Amino acid sequence: MSDLTVAVPEEKVASTKAVVMNQVAGPEVRAESPLYHADLDSLAKQGPRKGGVRLRENKLLGHLTLRCNPNNADQLAAVERVLGMALPLQPLTSVEKGDVSIRWMSPDEWLIIVPGLKAFDVETRFRDEMDGHYSLVNGSGGSTVLELSGDNVVDMLKKSTPIDLHPSEFPVGKVVSTVFAKSTAVIRRTGEKQFELVIRRSFSDYLWLWIQDASREFGLVVDA
Amino acid sequence: MFHIYCPHCAEYREEEEFHASGQAHIARPLDPEACSDKEWGEYLYFRKNPRGIHHELWVHAAGCRKFFNITRDTQTYEIKEVYKIGEQPSVVAQSGNSK
């Protein structure tokens, strides 16, 4: 095995950079969100305006999964330089600044959500700033964000997930990845009666049907 | 249903979120080539099935997706302790009643 190893010159190792592809070339390129077929924009215009649960798809955002060493001060400083805020190191916490948000996913993994057209720029800056062993993956196409709010939003979520949603257990800013219906979701509380769900693209239609059914008794309002 | 404490998320979650991955602390032989067929076969296929204290590997599949260990009593289903990978259990079976 050892005689097959190709010696790589030192300087080449240092200059090796991951190739970053711009997945969204620009605003003029047509893109379909995972719930495109549900035509939420028309429902927002024609559907009921009163109800206990409100739903909005925050579509076509940039979803970046960062894995790095939480004990490496250089990497933490680099993240702060790129995103303008420190990684949340406490379990189940999140931070948000302007249109960028970071969710704790596991002790060495974070989900960063940025505006779709900013993803390439953020990714490129990470490649320049970060040092050492880390991984940054753009999974934007694989998931979407649902914003759920309203007076009955907690009642609707209680039907779908075993997580304790009482404000004393689930304060604003807390984030959990858990089972949701028969799928999974990353649930974050963004307000007293407002939650954000990051869901898989392949489950988005199922969850859209599920949420409609679970919200039926309270009334579902779709926002554009 | 178990109510399991995840040592990485630092809170209790429903069993639904977890997946059991079998017996914990199975050390891979350092030199597989030097193993006899019996030793290698036992490493690959043979597992304990104790009545009483059992150390198990679990993964928080729907949560942080990290593995950790649980010491569980297979008679009462009681979870005695939860500890991270690389740590040693503090609750172990008495040599007299582990069969």
Side-chain angles (χ1 to χ4, degrees), chain A residues 7 11 39 63 83 96 108 112 156 210:
Chain A
E11 65 274 18
D39 197 9
H63 298 232
L83 298 175
E96 192 172 356
D108 55 3
I112 302 163
M156 193 280 282
W210 174 280

Side-chain angles (χ1 to χ4, degrees), chain B residues 14-69:
Chain B
E14 289 294 322
E15 184 187 350
E16 230 184 312
E17 293 188 10
F18 297 86
H19 188 82
S21 300
Q23 186 186 327
H25 305 296
I26 298 170
R28 189 176 197 271
L30 288 174
D31 186 5
E33 300 290 337
C35 283
S36 67
D37 284 355
K38 184 169 184 287
E39 282 167 344
W40 188 247
E42 279 177 0
Y43 159 68
L44 279 185
Y45 303 115
F46 283 74
R47 296 292 178 261
K48 283 181 186 154
N49 184 19
R51 184 180 182 194
I53 299 293
H54 190 216
H55 305 293
E56 295 169 338
L57 193 61
W58 284 70
V59 57
H60 195 179
C64 60
R65 304 193 301 280
K66 294 280 179 205
F67 283 84
F68 59 94
N69 297 316

Side-chain angles (χ1 to χ4, degrees), chain A residues 14-62:
Chain A
S15 62
T16 302
K17 288 278 177 195
V19 179
V20 184
M21 189 188 77
N22 192 355
Q23 298 187 4
V24 186
E28 69 284 356
V29 179
R30 186 169 166 276
E32 293 182 2
S33 82
L35 285 178
Y36 175 80
H37 65 285
D39 197 9
L40 299 180
D41 288 348
S42 301
L43 285 174
K45 287 195 197 98
Q46 297 156 6
R49 302 314 303 156
K50 266 190 181 161
V53 182
R54 304 184 80 90
L55 174 129
R56 181 207 313 272
E57 185 192 11
N58 290 336
K59 53 194 165 198
L60 305 175
L61 297 175

Side-chain angles (χ1 to χ4, degrees), chain A residues 51-167:
Chain A
V53 182
R54 304 184 80 90
L55 174 129
R56 181 207 313 272
E57 185 192 11
N58 290 336
K59 53 194 165 198
L60 305 175
L61 297 175
H63 298 232
L64 304 171
T65 295
L66 171 70
R67 302 201 64 169
C68 68
N69 182 357
N71 300 319
N72 184 333
D74 290 345
Q75 290 188 339
L76 296 183
V79 173
E80 209 164 337
R81 283 199 299 278
V82 176
L83 298 175
M85 56 189 150
L87 282 180
L89 298 179
Q90 283 299 313
L92 311 177
T93 56
S94 66
V95 290
E96 192 172 356
K97 196 175 183 184
D99 47 13
V100 179
S101 51
I102 315 176
R103 289 147 201 77
W104 184 96
M105 301 296 287
S106 108
D108 55 3
E109 181 179 340
W110 293 267
L111 176 64
I112 302 163
I113 295 194
V114 299
L117 294 172
K118 241 173 138 179
F120 179 63
D121 179 47
V122 171
E123 244 184 306
T124 315
R125 288 198 56 206
F126 259 110
R127 300 293 174 204
D128 293 337
E129 298 275 352
M130 286 288 269
D131 204 17
H133 186 63
Y134 76 100
S135 136
L136 184 74
V137 176
N138 185 337
S140 306
S143 44
T144 191
V145 178
L146 297 182
E147 188 187 298
L148 291 162
S149 56
D151 289 341
N152 295 108
V153 66
V154 172
D155 300 317
M156 193 280 282
L157 291 175
K158 274 184 194 168
K159 296 184 189 179
S160 321
T161 172
I163 289 288
D164 187 350
L165 297 162
H166 192 273

